[in-house]
Each structure stands twice: as C-alpha cells, then as structure tokens.
Amino acid sequence: MKEPLFGAFDGAKPDEHYVGPIQRIDAPMRHYPRGEAVDFVVVGVGSAGGVLIQRLAKAGFSVVGLEAGPFWDTERDWVSDEAGSHGLYWNDLRIIGGSDPLALGANNSGKGVGGGSVHWAGFTPRLHPSDFRVRSDDGVAVDWPISYDDLKPYYELMEREIPVAGPTYYPWGDPHGYSYAPHPLGGVSQTLVRGCTRLGIPVVAGGPVAINSGSHGSRPHCIYRGFCIQGCKVGAKQSTLVSHVPDAIRHGAELRDKCMVARINLGKDGRVTGVTYYDEHGQEQEQRASVVIVSGYAIETPRLLLNSACPGFEQGLANSSGTLGKYLMAQIGNVVFGRFDDLVRMYKAPPANALTEEFYETDPRNDFVRGYAIQTVGPLPISFAQHMMVAQGAWGWGLRRTMMDYNHWSALGVLGEILPWEDNTVTLADVRDGFGLPVARVTFNLHENDHKIAQAGVQKTEEIMRAAGATEVTQEPRYAHLVGGARMGADASDSVVNSFGRTWDIPNLYVCDGSILPTQGSANPGLTIQALAARTADYLISERENAAAPTAATRIPVRYSLSPSEVAGRGMPRLKSRRPTTFGAGALGPGSRG
C-alpha cells in the first residue's frame, strides 16, 4: 500500500482539535453566556467527569464542565517522550506528611481534560463481590451502601464503551469474559505467566486493559510501543478525552479548560447555586447551575469542599459527618524487578498486560485480612532509572551499568489493599497557591495490616520472578492510585454522600469520582470510577424533573442508549457457556491450574 488508509496526514490545522492521529472533534463547541445558569456544572473533566458530561448532555441537559488543566490537542500538545509528558500530571504544590508519606504527581494525579485516565496504564479489573461487604465478612473497614450486583451492569456497559480487551474467561471475583480479543504477550507478561505456571498459580494475559486490540470507531489499534502512561499519542488507549468528551461536545456540552474552581456557593435556602472559579486569564467568574457535581478526585475534591466552608458548614461544605477528607486510601504498589539472561524489552507491549488475583481475597491462613494482586508493569528508561536508584541505591557508573542492561530487566507490581484509616487525611495547609487558595495537606500512615500485605505481596512476587528464571531480584517500595476522602455510605453520620453521590447535607450537590469509594480492594480503580459515573448519570436522568430535590430512589434503569455513538452496540455478544477446561496464553497461562 503506497498511500495511508485514510490518506496522507498533513498535520493539525488551526480550526481542528485532534484527540488522536485520525480522531478529531468534528462539531463546534457550544458556549453558554457566562451569566446564564445551566442544569449541571461538573467540576473536573477526568475519568468520572468525562462520562458524566457525555451522558447528561446526550440526555438533553445543559452542561458545563470546568477543568483546571488544558483541553489537550494530542497532535500539538503530546510527545512520545517521558520527560516531555511531565505536563500531563497534577504537579501543583501539595504538602505531604505522616509516617509513610505518599508520592504524588505522575504516580496518581492528572491535570487536563481526561484527568488521570490520560496517563493511566489502563488495567481494568472489576472489584470483587467481597469488596462491597468487607465489614460484614472480615470485621474491618465498612460495607458499601450498594452491592456488586448494583454495579455489575455498569461494569459490563463500560467494558464495551471503553472498550476493554481481555481473556475470554476471567476466573476471579464474579467470573466473566470480555468481548474484545486479548493482546499478545510482551516480555514482561511472559515473565509473569512463566513464573506463575511453574508455581501452579492461575494467571491471565492480554488484559483486561483499556487498549484497543483492534481498531474501534475512529481510534486505531495498539502498535505496542510502550508509551501508555505518556498519553498514548496513537489513540489506542482509552481516556475519557478520546472516548466520551467528543460525544459530549457533539451533544451540546461546553468544556472550559484552564479554569480553577475556588469554591462552591451556597444559597440562603440551603442549596448550592453554582461555583466561583478563576478563568484562563486569572479573572474570577461565576457559573450558576441547578446542580453542582464535584469530580476532582481524591485530593482536589476534599480540598474544594474544605475551601468552600461557610456559615453552617464551618468544617467544610457538606461535612456534618466530620468524615470529609478522612479515610484516604492508596494501594501498596511495590515494584519487583528481575534480571534475565535473555532479552525482555519491557517497552515492547502495554505495561498493563497480565495479572493474577489469586491472592486477592482474605485467606484464614494469613495473619492479615484482605490481600493483593500481582500485575505487569513496564517502566521506560527514565522511570526505570528512578526505580533502580531507590531499589539498589544505584548512582554514577553503577546506575549507568544498570541502564546498559535495561533490556534484560522485567518488572512486576504488587497491588495490595490498604484499608481505610481515619488518620489518613486531606486537610488544608497554611500555604496558598497562585490563586490564593489553601493547598492540600496529605497525611498518610501505614498500619500493621497494611505492612503485612506489602510483605506478603513482595515475597510472593519475588518467588514468581525467581521461578521465571531471574538471576537477580530487587524491589522498590511505593504506592499506587488514590481513592477515598469523601466516601459514600448508608448513613449520614459516617459518610459524605449516598450511593448515588448526592451529599447528605445539600440535595443539589453531588460528588462523583474516586473519592467516594469506601474501600478499594486490590483492583485498579479506573473502571469502577467510570461505572459509578454512568450509574450516577442514570440516576440524575431518572430524577429529571427534580434533580435539585431528588427522591429516595434506589433502583434505576440502565440507559444503554446513552453510550457514545461510536461504541453503541459494538462488540461481540456475551455467550453463556460452561467454564472452559483448558486455557491458552490469551486466557489463563499455559499449563496453569484453574
């Protein structure tokens, strides 16, 4: 073929907004007058906010999304370079503390349309049914106010919208399969599959991951270059920037980027009236709305509500329970490295490519509750150098010698559940940002159960590395992901929001993002966050006539018709069949037990 399939690419044009090499916004964005009230204002257009504005706009509501970061044009703004991707992360000042302080920024915070979904690796496992009843089953933490079955149809829906590529049979939690074919194994995945197989540990490969294994709508398939957490300039990896925002704009949503929301405004009648924000020129503006939805994630959401303190809510807006900013959670994220005589080439596949959840659930033989997963990771050279500086103390010539061996190293990550503890908090610091707003102070401490999970996870992962043939094994302690800080619950006395994200204190103020998760399991939270957003949107649409004064509805219809037009109805149908008795490399690892 002498000519590209879609013709020669001649670069981005001034009047076009690209969200992928062949995907662009094909409709002018609506602009609401600044003094006009809209039905919904959504603060933060990330994983949850992107899904919310798309569905609410498609349902016919007037919607404005306010995003602190840029509206990325992927052809102008993104580069295939580790250092050049630094601007994707939330790098604004935050104060960290506690006995085991978190590392923030590139590890768990995004800034820009698409939020953290722009630079997530894309692993999309579901939570297990047991994650929703940890208090009842294990006597720790809290139960969710909903069950797995309440979220299951939204898991299935989002797996097709994203879409998720994965094995035909996934054996853990609620066993299920995926409609889109798994990816081929890279070198790191072969390490995990080989080690698990030799130890008799079930493992899946090729997903579940939010990366196209074949072209999908206007998004091409993955080309296996390994730049997944640098924004995926190819457009194969899902973020709401590419999967939901274009459809939101087509249906009349307005996105205002580089707009930092300073506070949520409360009226005399006990309802919020809108938000005050600083626009891209630093000018203070107000956006009035019938309903305000905060989707700023686990640090910026509590920070905004705390900064919105006012008479009647002196300790933070919607904080009558005193739980706002408490019960922040990260996950154990230690990375175990193994050196092999043969070439591995960590960059030659999506980092999110294979995993095992065999140690996810509480095991009475352990001296701790809950558990961990083991997943592939694929750091590029700069990240690898940073890891090895910590893991081995490598520096100078020693670091240079290690880097010369980069292609011989493999990396596996522990993803362990840290329970919600009251002393892990987001509060306000005395330091202020460029807008004069108090910045977040993030305090984090590991407890005995957390330490035991980390130790067990690292030990098991090191065993797998050695079983796979590693001649040298080392590890780096670290964290992954963030959730909590404005948790949902069944009672207003110990939670901020109900099961649909509506704050207990203010009927037309909602929170919908990772901050509302009561517990986190050992699963990557991205799929769950998007599924919760779709569920909240369905609830708000069901309450169309009284969204600002909602009823106590608990059951709502799943609105399949609201899927973005490019993905609606796509994907192979799910077939009910017996559990397979043998597995290939695309499902369970060859020779592994089920």
Side-chain angles (χ1 to χ4, degrees):
M1 180 182 294
K2 294 183 179 181
E3 292 292 330
L5 182 62
F6 294 97
F9 180 68
D10 56 359
K13 299 178 177 60
D15 58 343
E16 293 178 331
H17 192 105
Y18 276 81
V19 290
I22 58 175
Q23 184 186 12
R24 58 185 180 269
I25 305 295
D26 57 4
M29 185 188 299
R30 180 171 182 172
H31 294 280
Y32 292 94
R34 294 301 168 100
E36 179 180 315
V38 295
D39 295 321
F40 293 93
V41 61
V42 179
V43 181
V45 187
S47 291
V51 173
L52 284 165
I53 65 169
Q54 181 268 326
R55 278 168 156 69
L56 294 173
K58 193 167 184 177
F61 292 103
S62 55
V63 185
V64 169
L66 298 174
E67 169 56 45
F71 186 2
W72 302 112
D73 185 303
T74 61
E75 293 304 306
R76 295 180 175 89
D77 301 332
W78 290 2
V79 292
S80 296
D81 176 79
E82 284 183 86
S85 300
H86 190 67
L88 299 177
Y89 318 130
W90 191 290
N91 298 306
D92 294 15
L93 177 65
R94 289 159 169 172
I95 308 301
I96 60 174
S99 60
D100 305 277
L102 295 170
L104 303 175
N107 189 41
N108 44 35
S109 300
K111 189 174 185 180
V113 176
S117 68
V118 163
H119 66 88
W120 68 329
F123 263 129
T124 49
R126 303 177 187 177
L127 290 177
H128 290 201
S130 66
D131 287 315
F132 296 80
R133 51 176 193 265
V134 176
R135 185 72 182 178
S136 296
D137 290 357
D138 298 308
V140 296
V142 292
D143 290 341
W144 287 49
I146 59 175
S147 70
Y148 171 85
D149 289 337
D150 291 317
L151 206 53
K152 181 177 179 177
Y154 292 98
Y155 277 143
E156 295 175 341
L157 179 61
M158 297 312 296
E159 284 164 356
R160 295 183 69 173
E161 285 187 20
I162 284 174
V164 174
T168 55
Y169 181 74
Y170 194 83
W172 300 289
D174 174 28
H176 57 280
Y178 295 93
S179 298
Y180 295 89
H183 291 271
L185 275 69
V188 179
S189 301
Q190 292 177 24
T191 298
L192 182 60
V193 170
R194 185 167 62 247
C196 285
T197 299
R198 289 174 178 172
L199 294 174
I201 299 170
V203 61
V204 297
V209 63
I211 300 174
N212 290 342
S213 53
S215 60
H216 189 78
S218 59
R219 291 167 48 206
H221 59 77
C222 181
I223 61 173
Y224 306 112
R225 68 200 187 112
F227 278 89
C228 303
I229 62 174
Q230 284 72 37
C232 186
K233 196 170 175 69
V234 173
K237 189 193 73 174
Q238 186 259 2
S239 68
T240 54
L241 172 70
V242 303
S243 63
H244 288 80
V245 166
D247 199 61
I249 292 173
R250 281 193 290 268
H251 286 92
E254 180 186 358
L255 268 66
R256 297 178 193 163
D257 65 335
K258 302 176 183 176
C259 291
M260 181 66 182
V261 177
R263 64 182 178 273
I264 303 164
N265 302 321
L266 185 67
K268 295 180 180 180
D269 60 354
R271 303 174 187 274
V272 293
T273 60
V275 300
T276 296
Y277 68 96
Y278 292 98
D279 65 18
E280 61 179 324
H281 305 295
Q283 299 299 310
E284 187 175 291
Q285 306 283 352
E286 181 182 7
Q287 177 58 57
R288 295 186 296 119
S290 299
V291 177
V292 174
I293 308 176
V294 184
S295 298
Y297 203 34
I299 296 179
E300 292 305 309
T301 285
R303 179 194 175 200
L304 175 59
L305 293 171
L306 290 167
N307 273 328
S308 300
C310 59
F313 292 103
E314 287 80 5
Q315 302 305 312
L317 199 60
N319 190 26
S320 64
S321 66
T323 58
L324 177 64
K326 297 181 179 179
Y327 305 105
L328 180 72
M329 291 169 281
Q331 287 170 318
I332 299 296
N334 295 48
V335 179
V336 175
F337 296 90
R339 190 195 182 282
F340 293 81
D341 291 334
D342 294 333
L343 293 172
V344 177
R345 295 191 176 96
M346 286 191 286
Y347 62 92
K348 294 286 285 183
N353 196 243
L355 77 158
T356 177
E357 290 184 346
E358 188 67 6
F359 312 102
Y360 189 109
E361 305 282 357
T362 296
D363 187 334
R365 295 171 294 182
N366 294 329
D367 62 349
F368 56 85
V369 296
R370 306 307 295 157
Y372 57 90
I374 301 172
Q375 303 179 338
T376 56
V377 293
L380 295 177
I382 294 176
S383 295
F384 177 70
Q386 294 170 336
H387 289 307
M388 299 307 280
M389 287 169 62
V390 177
Q392 292 189 323
W395 188 253
W397 173 250
L399 179 59
R400 183 177 179 183
R401 183 172 55 190
T402 298
M403 294 304 297
M404 291 170 67
D405 269 355
Y406 169 77
N407 282 329
H408 287 270
W409 286 89
S410 182
L412 302 177
V414 179
L415 198 65
E417 179 171 357
I418 295 176
L419 296 172
W421 304 105
E422 189 174 6
D423 60 349
N424 290 334
T425 61
V426 177
T427 57
L428 297 180
D430 295 332
V431 183
R432 294 177 180 266
D433 65 11
F435 299 104
L437 304 172
V439 304
R441 179 186 299 276
V442 182
T443 304
F444 204 77
N445 311 281
L446 291 178
H447 292 241
E448 183 180 8
N449 197 78
D450 310 324
H451 283 294
K452 289 180 176 180
I453 286 178
Q455 182 179 3
V458 169
Q459 181 178 342
K460 182 60 65 177
T461 307
E462 289 178 343
E463 290 177 14
I464 291 170
M465 271 292 190
R466 292 190 176 94
T471 58
E472 180 182 352
V473 176
T474 188
Q475 68 100 15
E476 178 202 7
R478 63 189 293 274
Y479 297 106
H481 310 123
L482 283 172
V483 295
R487 70 182 184 183
M488 68 166 78
D491 194 304
S493 65
D494 62 1
S495 58
V496 178
V497 301
N498 71 3
S499 67
F500 293 107
R502 178 173 61 84
T503 60
W504 294 109
D505 298 339
I506 303 172
N508 65 332
L509 174 61
Y510 288 73
V511 177
C512 187
D513 55 27
S515 71
I516 69 174
L517 271 61
T519 60
Q520 62 177 338
S522 297
N524 312 64
L527 175 67
T528 297
I529 291 169
Q530 294 188 42
L532 285 170
R535 181 174 180 268
T536 291
D538 278 355
Y539 171 75
L540 290 166
I541 295 165
S542 293
E543 298 290 308
R544 179 180 293 272
E545 299 303 324
N546 55 341
T551 65
T554 57
R555 295 290 177 182
I556 53 172
V558 181
R559 290 177 166 78
Y560 298 96
S561 62
L562 293 182
S563 294
S565 55
E566 284 195 325
V567 300
R570 293 178 179 265
M572 295 295 291
R574 285 181 171 76
L575 302 178
K576 293 184 178 180
S577 61
R578 294 184 302 170
R579 181 183 185 280
T581 55
T582 59
F583 304 92
L588 287 178
S592 65
R593 62 181 174 84

